[in-house]
Amino acid sequence: MPRTTPFHERTAALTKSMAWKEWAGYAAACNFDAHSEREYFAIRRSAGLLDVTPLYKYEVTGPDAARFLARLWTRDITKLKPGRVAYGCMCDGEGKTLDDGTVACLGPEAFRVTSSEAWLSWFDRHQRGYDVEIEDSTDRISALALQGPLSRDILSKVTDADLDSMRFFGTEECSLAGAPGWVTRTGYTGDLGYELWVANDAAVGLYDALLEAGAPYNMQPIGLDALDVSRIEAGFVLQGIDYISARSCLIDSRKSTPEEAGLGWTVNLDREGWIGRDALLLEREVGPKWGLVGLEFDWAELENLHAEYDLPPHLAPIACRSAVPAYTAGGGLVGQVTSSTWSPTLKRYLALGQVFAEHAAIGTKLQVEYTVEFERRTVTATVVERPFFDPARKTFTPNAQPKGDA
């Protein structure tokens, strides 16, 4: 049986669909209604509130904390200043991606790491020689994601954090509904948003305060289905779907380097001494085998294909995580689509996929398998820029100060 988070007594009472799934050992709501459309539009038009407590969380402290994390992560954590958050990934010794996540600098010698999988044994394995302490705080700290264009207005009602000055990927220790906690300007929707971190005994009070503060703004509790659509629109990869952790791969061909997983922008090969760098330097010389691409399906072809069966195009209210093959126009297999969705905001059918690097250039046209009435056909999909959705409000800060930190 999955465990329940400290927010469960509230989310369970609000969930009318009875649709739950297991996330990192916890019960997580897929959607609160019969479908997730209301929740999705809350993210894009007002604000959505999501329980993200199942994220794995680690407190890394001590004189060598930054140097220790810089060895494990593709980002140089020694340059991360208090009040800032870095997004990156970890690699094994062969340069293959293990996981992606965030590192928040809470103080000169204090960091909080988040990830989608458990990595305490990996941290312990590489701890020798560093003056550092590591605590798995996953079950001690509750977390909420408040995402959407009105999230700043709502959050300001329950916190004393200076939200008007908090830049994108910033963090601040503050009061949250009267309890001590942290706010990070982060999220997984590609929109303006925040993540809130409090001790378990403060969780319900924070949730209630946010529901009250958000009511005039039509804030909605949201589940994982709405999140999945929004993260694809934002071009965000999902570990286990768009790439697989090297730790979980049974064969080498399923492993991906950061570049192949769409995370190459987080890698700094100029600095030395981090796990996987030597292998990635070799990759830079020969080039990656794969490329993680954004794809847009040809809508006219989709309509015509359905018309052959006297059907309208089917626009599912949730994203699809079933991998399907991608081909050249001549029928040669070149990769796979890993995540796809209809974008209600952009009115486009979008996908993420992993294809051979020589077919990853913007403008490349591929044929993607598409099934109607149990018959496998193909439709044209064009490689396009990611992210698909990137509003200015995501990074806009009313009282922005000149950048001078990591």
Side-chain angles (χ1 to χ4, degrees):
M1 285 289 292
R3 295 178 292 168
T4 57
T5 77
F7 299 110
H8 185 75
E9 63 180 278
R10 293 294 186 265
T11 56
L14 294 169
T15 304
K16 302 174 183 177
S17 66
M18 300 302 291
W20 298 82
K21 68 185 299 183
E22 182 271 335
W23 175 16
Y26 286 92
C30 296
N31 43 277
F32 285 77
D33 293 336
H35 52 76
S36 58
E37 288 181 320
R38 177 172 63 92
E39 298 162 41
Y40 165 82
F41 282 110
I43 296 171
R44 293 293 183 238
R45 304 287 176 81
S46 54
L49 186 64
L50 175 70
D51 181 359
V52 293
T53 301
L55 284 170
Y56 285 94
K57 301 173 281 287
Y58 301 95
E59 314 301 307
V60 182
T61 57
D64 293 336
R67 194 164 61 89
F68 168 71
L69 289 171
R71 181 165 184 247
L72 299 182
W73 287 79
T74 55
R75 302 292 296 273
D76 188 355
I77 306 303
T78 63
K79 295 183 178 179
L80 190 66
K81 295 183 178 180
R84 300 299 296 158
V85 183
Y87 173 75
C89 58
M90 295 186 295
C91 297
D92 64 14
E94 298 177 341
K96 303 302 183 181
T97 312
L98 294 171
D99 205 349
D100 61 291
T102 62
V103 180
C105 185
L106 308 182
E109 298 180 357
F111 298 83
R112 177 172 297 138
V113 176
T114 68
S115 59
S116 59
E117 291 192 359
W119 293 105
L120 184 60
S121 61
W122 181 257
F123 294 162
D124 289 343
R125 175 179 171 182
H126 296 94
Q127 184 180 355
R128 181 178 297 179
Y130 293 94
D131 187 359
V132 64
E133 294 185 4
I134 305 166
E135 177 207 356
D136 185 342
S137 57
T138 304
D139 295 336
R140 179 174 65 81
I141 296 176
S142 298
L144 288 171
L146 179 63
Q147 303 284 303
L150 302 182
S151 57
R152 182 185 287 117
D153 298 327
I154 296 168
L155 184 55
S156 67
K157 310 298 183 184
V158 303
T159 185
D160 60 359
D162 185 2
L163 302 179
D164 286 341
S165 299
M166 183 182 293
R167 291 195 287 114
F168 191 45
F169 274 83
T171 183
E172 183 178 334
E173 188 174 13
C174 60
S175 171
L176 288 166
W182 292 88
V183 170
T184 56
R185 190 172 166 183
T186 52
Y188 197 49
T189 64
D191 217 310
L192 172 65
Y194 302 86
E195 290 174 314
L196 320 175
W197 316 82
V198 294
N200 287 347
D201 58 6
V204 171
L206 175 59
Y207 200 86
D208 289 344
L210 286 168
L211 286 181
E212 181 178 353
Y217 299 88
N218 197 30
M219 184 194 77
Q220 302 292 329
I222 64 171
L224 297 180
D225 287 353
L227 179 69
D228 216 9
V229 174
S230 62
R231 68 94 186 171
I232 295 174
E233 289 179 329
F236 293 156
V237 296
L238 178 61
Q239 198 266 94
I241 302 297
D242 301 303
Y243 78 93
I244 301 173
S245 171
R247 182 175 64 178
S248 304
C249 293
L250 299 178
I251 53 177
D252 287 342
S253 61
R254 302 196 76 185
K255 299 178 181 179
S256 302
T257 65
E259 187 67 35
E260 294 170 336
L263 299 168
W265 62 274
T266 71
V267 176
N268 180 1
L269 290 175
D270 293 332
R271 70 180 183 92
E272 300 179 351
W274 53 276
I275 298 171
R277 175 179 180 266
D278 291 345
L280 296 180
L281 284 172
L282 293 176
E283 180 192 60
R284 185 166 66 177
E285 295 178 5
V286 301
K289 179 179 180 180
W290 299 97
L292 197 291
V293 297
L295 294 164
E296 181 178 349
F297 283 48
D298 187 303
W299 183 249
E301 286 190 24
L302 281 174
E303 284 187 318
N304 293 336
L305 179 58
H306 284 83
E308 292 182 29
Y309 300 87
D310 294 323
L311 291 170
H314 176 62
L315 303 179
I318 60 174
C320 177
R321 295 182 176 184
S322 297
V324 296
Y327 306 93
T328 64
L333 182 66
V334 295
Q336 62 179 348
V337 165
T338 52
S339 298
S340 59
T341 188
W342 167 255
S343 168
T345 295
L346 302 176
K347 302 298 187 289
R348 296 154 59 193
Y349 203 96
L350 308 172
L352 300 174
Q354 196 175 52
V355 301
F356 289 131
E358 57 266 32
H359 298 280
I362 301 298
T364 302
K365 293 189 180 298
L366 304 174
Q367 294 295 308
V368 175
E369 186 176 285
Y370 195 93
T371 301
V372 181
E373 285 298 285
F374 314 108
E375 185 176 353
R376 294 180 179 179
R377 304 284 291 277
T378 61
V379 296
T380 301
T382 304
V383 178
V384 296
E385 293 277 1
R386 291 186 300 130
F388 310 107
F389 179 76
D390 190 24
R393 62 182 179 247
K394 179 179 71 175
T395 58
F396 174 72
T397 303
N399 298 333
Q401 298 297 316
K403 295 181 180 179
D405 47 18

